[in-house]
Amino acid sequence: MEKADSKSRILVEMKQVTKAYASRKKLFTGSSPQVLALNSIDLSIAKGEVFGLVGQSGSGKTTTGRLLVRLESPTAGEIFFNKTPISQLKGSGLKTYRSRVQMIFQDPYQSLNPHLSIAETVLEPLIVQKIGTPDTRTEKVVHTLDTVGLSPGEAFFNRYPHQLSGGQRQRVAIARAIVLEPQFIVADEPTSMLDATIAIQLFQLLEQIKETFGMTVLFITHNLAAARYMCDRIAVIHDGHIVEVNTADNIIRHPEHPYTKQLIKVQPGFKYTR
Amino acid sequence: MSLLSVDHLSIGYQTKKGMLKAVDNIRFDLEKGQSLGFVGESGCGKTTIGMALMGLLPENAVILGGHIRFQGEDLASLTETQWQTVRGAKIAMIFQAAMNALNPVMPVNEQIKEAIITHQPDISKTDLADRMKELFDLVDIPARRMKDYPHEYSGGMKQRAIIAMALACDPALIIADEPTTALDVIVQDQILREIKKVQEATRTGLVFISHDIAVVASVCERICVMYAGQIVETGTRKEVFKSPRHPYTRTLLNSYLSLDNLNDIRVPDMKESPDQMIDTDECRFAGSCAYAKGCAGRSPDWIDISPTHKAFCCNPDMIRRGHGKS
Amino acid sequence: MQNKYFWWRFYKGWRIFIENPLGKTGVIILSVFMIMAMASFFVPLIDPMYDPMTGIDPDIKLSTGPGLTHWLGTDNVGRDILAQLLEGAKVAFIVGLSSAFFSIVIGTLIGMIAGYTGGIIDAALMRFADIIMVLPSLVILLILASLFGQFNIWIIVFIIAILRWPAVSRVIRSQTLSLKHRPFIEASRVAGASHVRIVLRHIMPNVLPLAFLYMTFRVTSAILVEASLSFLGFGDPSQVSWGMMLQWVWKSGHMFQAPYWLIPPGLCISLLTLAFYMLGRAMDEVLDPRLRKEGQTG
Ligand SMILES: Nc1ncnc2c1ncn2[C@@H]1O[C@H](COP(=O)(O)OP(=O)(O)OP(=O)(O)O)[C@@H](O)[C@H]1O
Ligand SMILES: Nc1ncnc2c1ncn2[C@@H]1O[C@H](COP(=O)(O)OP(=O)(O)OP(=O)(O)O)[C@@H](O)[C@H]1O
Ligand code: SF4
Ligand SMILES: [Mg+2]
Ligand SMILES: [Mg+2]
């Protein structure tokens, strides 16, 4: 990809973004030290790209994702979506933005409201964004459930999350995320709680969705192998810093940063046979 | 005499809809100092086996048949009081996300001391102190951190403390149920090394349960692959990973993403897991098996590939032929 | 479409509720009391002497035991005990349900607002709740009663509601706090849902089981508080209630002479509070799908 070309097709850009959390007050000293979850990071994701964000626990992956979907606002720096700054969006501007970006959460057992049926869950974004009429909405829900492999969609309508397996729940969460046909999806470790056989099917589903809808994906994981399988480019994040960005193959084959090398070393594999 | 010998063990759960057979006719042996891994997808009955070995099955569980012989004694027939002399003392368990099991208002060393004193009430002060030091050394927690409270530990350190607690009474058998599932890769790597090191140093028997084949592969010499309550393949680590024979094992290995197998990932066409409410002698994997053609109406049998390597299938030719793919 | 889900869930909920042994027992006991409460409207129509307050049997001047005209006997001025018992059931329902309902409404709203908004609003609301919570309600009622004389029944209802919401709001607040950062709440924020929608659509159904549990507990305590007040002589003397009946037994010195007069109101108080408790437990299972046993939902 040529440099100038990729510049013009950038969808998401983070410039010098810092996020600090006030950590809990120390009981006696009264001071409240800050946790720097992200330390002045730069990131740009091109349209149609699957971009991987890899790092260990606490490195700031989820924070990045939450900033991008505006669940948090940056402490410093700016985030651009389609060249528009988003961190000051409010009211209807924010609502419109939220129809364009969606998130898939890590824990399929926590990310669905136990009191809503599957149909209600997937319907919810359409109602909130006032898209379509009740009839077309239902149609859309059935169609989306089919797309994510829960077919026939009607069979899942009246089921509740607790009646589904982890893999099926994550499919519902994906359906909820794509029902608005967003341009950008943040997938935060969508399979880390699921079995390999189920994970690989979800990866394929994500890929297929990405192709059909032309979506851009930020794929967050601590599993380098999964990132390599899914992504065009990978960024390695460590302690709130992006330490390395490269194409998926290059990151694995020619890691430059020592941290990347360590991550590669500890990836489980079957190389243990003596 | 083996340390642990499980024979034709079946365990069911009583549910509103009827009996759910969570563990079906399982047999395996474990010698002193050996490690045995159980791997299989969620719900295949791994935890149920672990709980049975600890005498901690939930109330609605029923042992439908079989024996669990531990050091010659049949555990399946122990009463709760008899269990209390075994549990923690001779058999210890490391649970999934066990780090949350530490008492937040008690220093870590006190909790481990308590575990020792429960089973050795008349241990002397100096012996106790020595034992504590030994345990913390074993799991690589610096002595100066012994008196910390759990919240001052990182996730990985907490899990180490749990390992120390499991080792407190010098058990003959440790059961580890997904001990690293809640941890990140780097910490997981450390903990797996720790478990392996400790197990080799103390010559304890280890039953290691995980849904992650690579994790099991990194710790255990022998592997049992489970599907829907049954063991479908068993063998040494090398046999199972280098030449998997059962179609389910192959599916599992084929769909496992590791850094060096990206090009030959095959996305399995897995159906829903079979309904374990239905009691059948036929192969449970038939619904997702590519070789299932002649299998309807037949019951699978154990097929020997080597003295240590066996698979449970109706199709001996296919199994013996192997497919060379790992 | 929405409607269909609603009715489907209502039906399912009712089925689960009625299949639950606690729920079943609670409903049976409660229906008996309901019938009693209903009957209280009709009994005086049979004969004015069956009016619980003013109906005096002209033939009777003393408290008498059970008989043909007065199945449970009469009190010391010749009023029918059964008629009073029926009236008492009606009053207990009114007092219990309305005061519980008001305290739940107040408590749930305040709890959700405090938990969801956090910060200063939360702190202020909770301090306020603390202050009210530490006020001993029975003592306050007694003090108020001794200042203002005997209470009208609605004032009792109102005071109980005002004094009892903080406990509810504490529970609802902590539940809201734990829900606020759940991924499914965040998912609806990401979808663009407004705060009001999040609170009403996503948080409320999740705290409602607790609110109802609390409501039924509150019903219990409201009935008990009303009974105690009345028994101690601070009740509404123009209004028959079970507590008032007990007070009359006591004041007229029949405590140990007239078991037929003493036992029915005491038994009714215990049974009704027990029924509400059972209902609370069963209600919890209906409203919280995670508590449902497998196989009941289909
Ligand atoms: N709401 C918060 N308040 C205070 N600190 C926070 C908050 N959220 C995150 N942090 C801190 O910010 C850092 C980055 O957290 P983040 O959740 O982004 O990590 P992560 O890479 O997603 O880790 P994991 O793999 O465990 O999900 C951590 O040190 C974390 O403790
Ligand atoms: N108390 C119980 N009552 C009824 N069924 C149960 C109970 N516990 C487990 N089961 C069922 O028994 C089967 C085996 O469960 P088990 O927990 O042993 O699986 P597992 O292999 O450990 O799965 P995971 O990887 O999810 O921990 C599952 O189908 C599960 O739903
Ligand atoms: S018995 Fe048949 S269906 Fe089952 S694994 Fe073997 S070949 Fe496949
Ligand atoms: Mg995270
Ligand atoms: Mg388990």
Side-chain angles (χ1 to χ4, degrees), chain A residues 66 98 110 115 124 129 160, chain C residues 9 186 191 197 206 287:
Chain A
R66 293 169 59 88
R98 288 198 152 144
Q110 297 271 318
H115 289 273
E124 186 73 4
Q129 294 283 349
Y160 283 82
Chain C
R9 277 169 75 181
E186 304 205 312
R197 187 175 178 91
N206 281 288
L287 290 170

Side-chain angles (χ1 to χ4, degrees), chain A residues 134-152:
Chain A
D135 280 346
T136 61
R137 281 177 197 162
T138 310
E139 218 169 278
K140 176 98 191 160
V141 170
V142 175
H143 181 73
T144 312
L145 287 175
D146 275 336
T147 309
V148 299
L150 295 174
S151 47

Side-chain angles (χ1 to χ4, degrees), chain A residues 176-237:
Chain A
R176 175 180 58 193
I178 64 168
V179 73
L180 292 174
E181 300 184 13
Q183 299 170 10
F184 181 51
I185 287 193
V186 174
D188 186 2
E189 312 206 30
T191 64
S192 67
M193 318 227 356
L194 302 170
D195 296 328
T197 48
I198 294 162
I200 193 85
Q201 294 176 69
L202 286 182
F203 288 157
Q204 219 194 23
L205 172 63
L206 278 174
E207 213 156 90
Q208 170 202 327
I209 287 169
K210 186 217 129 195
E211 291 300 326
T212 29
F213 296 89
M215 284 174 195
T216 307
V217 180
L218 175 69
F219 184 78
I220 297 176
T221 179
H222 61 237
N223 183 339
L224 259 179
R228 187 191 195 187
Y229 180 77
M230 284 296 291
C231 303
D232 304 310
R233 285 192 305 149
I234 295 177
V236 177
I237 183 169

Side-chain angles (χ1 to χ4, degrees), chain A residues 66 69-72 95 98-99 101-103 105 107 110-117 119-121 123-125 127-129 134 138 157-160 162-163 176 180, chain C residues 1-2 4-6 8-9 178 181-194 197-198 201-203 205-207 209 286-290 292 296-298:
Chain A
R66 293 169 59 88
V69 297
R70 266 301 304 272
L71 277 171
E72 311 273 359
K95 195 160 173 178
R98 288 198 152 144
S99 68
V101 300
Q102 286 292 308
M103 184 153 177
F105 296 83
D107 185 346
Q110 297 271 318
S111 66
L112 301 179
N113 187 339
H115 289 273
L116 297 190
S117 69
E120 289 169 312
T121 303
L123 209 52
E124 186 73 4
I127 297 174
V128 165
Q129 294 283 349
T138 310
F157 253 50
N158 290 341
R159 296 231 225 154
Y160 283 82
H162 71 275
Q163 297 168 318
R176 175 180 58 193
L180 292 174
Chain C
M1 215 58 216
Q2 288 283 324
K4 212 167 102 193
Y5 297 137
F6 178 82
W8 176 81
R9 277 169 75 181
S178 84
H181 292 296
R182 292 275 180 84
F184 70 82
I185 301 286
E186 304 205 312
S188 63
R189 271 178 72 195
V190 172
S194 64
R197 187 175 178 91
I198 289 176
R201 176 95 172 131
H202 296 282
I203 293 189
N206 281 288
V207 298
V286 177
L287 290 170
D288 187 348
R290 283 159 306 174
R292 279 177 213 164
Q296 285 179 322
T297 37

Side-chain angles (χ1 to χ4, degrees), chain B residues 81-94:
Chain B
T81 16
Q82 287 168 316
W83 261 116
Q84 281 165 11
T85 60
V86 175
R87 204 184 289 139
K90 295 178 190 161
I91 306 180
M93 189 159 189
I94 307 169

Side-chain angles (χ1 to χ4, degrees), chain B residues 246-247 283 285-286 289 291-292 295 300 312-315 318:
Chain B
H246 193 277
C283 175
F285 189 59
C289 180
Y291 303 88
C295 299
F312 191 64
C313 185
C314 299
N315 203 335
M318 183 266 296

